[in-house]
Amino acid sequence: MSFRRALALAACGLAGGSVLFSAVVVGKQPGRGSDTDTRLGSSSATVPPATAAPPATAAPPAAAAPPGLLLLPPSASCPPAPGWIERPAANSGYWDSNWDRREPLALINLKKKNEETGEEELSSRLNHFKAKATRHIFLIRHSQYNLDGRADKDRTLTPLGREQAELTGKRLASLGIKFDQIIHSSMTRATETTEIISKHLPGVKKVSTDLLREGAPIEPDPPVSHWKPEAVQYYEDGARIEAAFRNFIHRADVKQEEDSYEIFVCHANVIRYIVCRALQFPPEGWLRMSLNNGSITHLVIRPNGRVALRTLGDTGFMPPDKITRT
């Protein structure tokens, strides 16, 4: 296929509203010679080696990509595209502006738009659904606790864990922020950590929830050998932790006029999963992060739904001999 034809096909993809990527090179797999076995979505395609061009009078065969390039499947609006163009899979570099289902345009039924007032009416309705405030979310991992406890009630904070909670509470108080509330896991170690922290933040309301309890959010990738819960645990815990994310992590309500500052005291697995989901990173990567006891993770959610990670697992306010990850 000529380069001119390739450019024409690329232009067709752009005209149809598709976003195109440049070629993604895939290395050869051992034992496959010059062929490359790739997966695009849920299907598999083998790219053959380049062959000689057919005679001009013959009907052109399906376009073949050079070895080592991903194939782009045909679309309804365009003929088969050359292999050096790739349509990205979901969540691979694209920001979903309606990730929390609070994007104003998604909340309006455009079919009911007033035809007489047109754009002015639409603009007015959009403003009705737009958030005005920024949410600051501080995710605190509980302090060190007694690992020998068989039941949750026996897994209380160690003396060092209580020191860590004191240091975290002092750090939060030193920020000079008027916190709106503390939402904490109902597990013993998170509840005790909350009680100590709250002494340094008098007057801040405390709320306990089962949604933030520790668990196995989703099977990690890559897997680890030292921690392998049963598949049913991922199924049960994952649904609950995902529910916690959807319930607590979203842009501000449209009725909220001022920026808010909220503290969530919970667990390492929950925090790591929430960070991945909030930043729209693959949630399976949650175990690639490590969080110290009593650490502070700061997420910011803007009115337009954009999310920023200010700090991840900060324990710089603790002396080195007080830092643990148990």
Side-chain angles (χ1 to χ4, degrees), residues 305-322:
R306 301 286 178 87
V307 181
L309 180 63
R310 291 274 181 91
T311 59
L312 175 67
D314 177 30
T315 49
F317 52 88
M318 292 187 184
D321 61 336
K322 303 296 182 183

Side-chain angles (χ1 to χ4, degrees), residues 10-11 27 41 47 79 82 110 113 146 158 184 198 226 228 231 247 261 278 282 294 314 318:
V47 183
L110 295 179
K113 189 181 74 170
N146 175 25
T158 64
H184 64 90
S198 65
H226 63 277
K228 287 189 175 181
N247 191 59
Y261 299 84
D314 177 30
M318 292 187 184

Side-chain angles (χ1 to χ4, degrees), residues 122-141:
L122 177 60
S123 177
S124 173
R125 294 171 67 187
L126 282 174
N127 287 332
H128 176 73
F129 290 104
K130 284 182 178 178
K132 308 174 188 65
T134 295
R135 292 186 68 202
H136 292 263
I137 294 173
F138 294 81
L139 300 161
I140 312 299
R141 189 192 174 196

Side-chain angles (χ1 to χ4, degrees), residues 166-203:
E166 292 282 358
L167 291 167
T168 302
K170 291 177 181 178
R171 172 58 176 170
L172 291 170
S174 72
L175 298 177
I177 293 172
K178 181 182 178 182
F179 290 100
D180 297 270
Q181 61 179 344
I182 303 176
I183 301 176
H184 64 90
S185 158
S186 57
M187 297 186 83
T188 299
R189 53 190 182 272
T191 301
E192 290 186 347
T193 300
T194 299
E195 291 301 322
I196 296 173
I197 288 176
S198 65
K199 292 191 303 181
H200 300 275
L201 303 170

Side-chain angles (χ1 to χ4, degrees), residues 8-317:
L9 288 173
C12 177
L14 288 172
S18 299
V19 180
L20 306 179
F21 267 148
S22 58
V24 177
V25 178
V26 180
K28 297 179 181 178
Q29 296 185 7
R32 294 189 181 271
S34 60
D35 291 349
T36 302
D37 186 16
T38 65
R39 287 193 304 168
L40 192 59
S42 60
S43 61
S44 175
T46 300
V47 183
T51 58
T57 57
L69 296 181
L70 294 179
L71 285 176
L72 174 70
S75 68
S77 60
C78 214
W84 48 266
I85 298 175
E86 178 199 9
R87 273 201 186 91
N91 284 340
S92 58
Y94 284 86
W95 180 258
D96 176 11
S97 60
N98 193 32
W99 63 275
D100 58 353
R101 301 301 181 264
R102 295 178 182 231
E103 182 68 17
L105 194 60
L107 299 174
I108 295 177
N109 188 342
L110 295 179
K111 292 182 179 180
K112 294 183 179 180
K113 189 181 74 170
N114 190 321
E115 296 293 341
E116 297 179 0
T117 55
E119 292 185 2
E120 292 183 4
E121 172 70 10
L122 177 60
S123 177
S124 173
R125 294 171 67 187
L126 282 174
N127 287 332
H128 176 73
F129 290 104
K130 284 182 178 178
K132 308 174 188 65
T134 295
R135 292 186 68 202
H136 292 263
I137 294 173
F138 294 81
L139 300 161
I140 312 299
R141 189 192 174 196
H142 61 78
S143 302
Q144 186 190 68
Y145 67 101
N146 175 25
L147 293 171
D148 296 328
R150 299 187 64 180
D152 175 62
K153 63 182 179 63
D154 301 319
R155 294 171 183 168
T156 56
L157 297 186
T158 64
L160 175 56
R162 302 187 71 83
E163 287 186 64
Q164 291 170 338
E166 292 282 358
L167 291 167
T168 302
K170 291 177 181 178
R171 172 58 176 170
L172 291 170
S174 72
L175 298 177
I177 293 172
K178 181 182 178 182
F179 290 100
D180 297 270
Q181 61 179 344
I182 303 176
I183 301 176
H184 64 90
S185 158
S186 57
M187 297 186 83
T188 299
R189 53 190 182 272
T191 301
E192 290 186 347
T193 300
T194 299
E195 291 301 322
I196 296 173
I197 288 176
S198 65
K199 292 191 303 181
H200 300 275
L201 303 170
V204 180
K205 179 179 66 173
K206 300 188 292 291
V207 179
S208 176
T209 176
D210 291 339
L211 289 178
L212 291 173
R213 292 173 72 90
E214 183 64 302
I218 190 173
E219 194 167 356
D221 185 18
V224 293
S225 58
H226 63 277
W227 187 74
K228 287 189 175 181
E230 297 293 332
V232 68
Q233 187 174 350
Y234 287 119
Y235 184 77
E236 294 174 351
D237 291 351
R240 173 179 53 77
I241 296 171
E242 173 65 19
F245 171 79
R246 297 189 184 195
N247 191 59
F248 297 122
I249 312 300
H250 52 75
R251 73 193 77 184
D253 187 88
V254 293
K255 297 179 181 179
Q256 183 176 323
E257 298 288 340
E258 299 181 354
D259 294 352
S260 59
Y261 299 84
E262 302 156 76
I263 297 172
F264 293 81
V265 181
C266 50
H267 309 268
N269 295 357
V270 178
I271 294 172
R272 292 182 285 187
Y273 179 80
I274 285 176
V275 168
C276 286
R277 288 284 282 111
L279 298 178
Q280 298 188 23
F281 293 162
E284 297 85 356
W286 63 272
L287 201 50
R288 304 172 200 173
M289 293 179 277
S290 182
L291 298 176
N292 295 332
N293 296 113
S295 62
I296 300 174
T297 296
H298 183 185
L299 281 172
V300 179
I301 306 178
R302 299 293 182 190
N304 61 5
R306 301 286 178 87
V307 181
L309 180 63
R310 291 274 181 91
T311 59
L312 175 67
D314 177 30
T315 49
F317 52 88

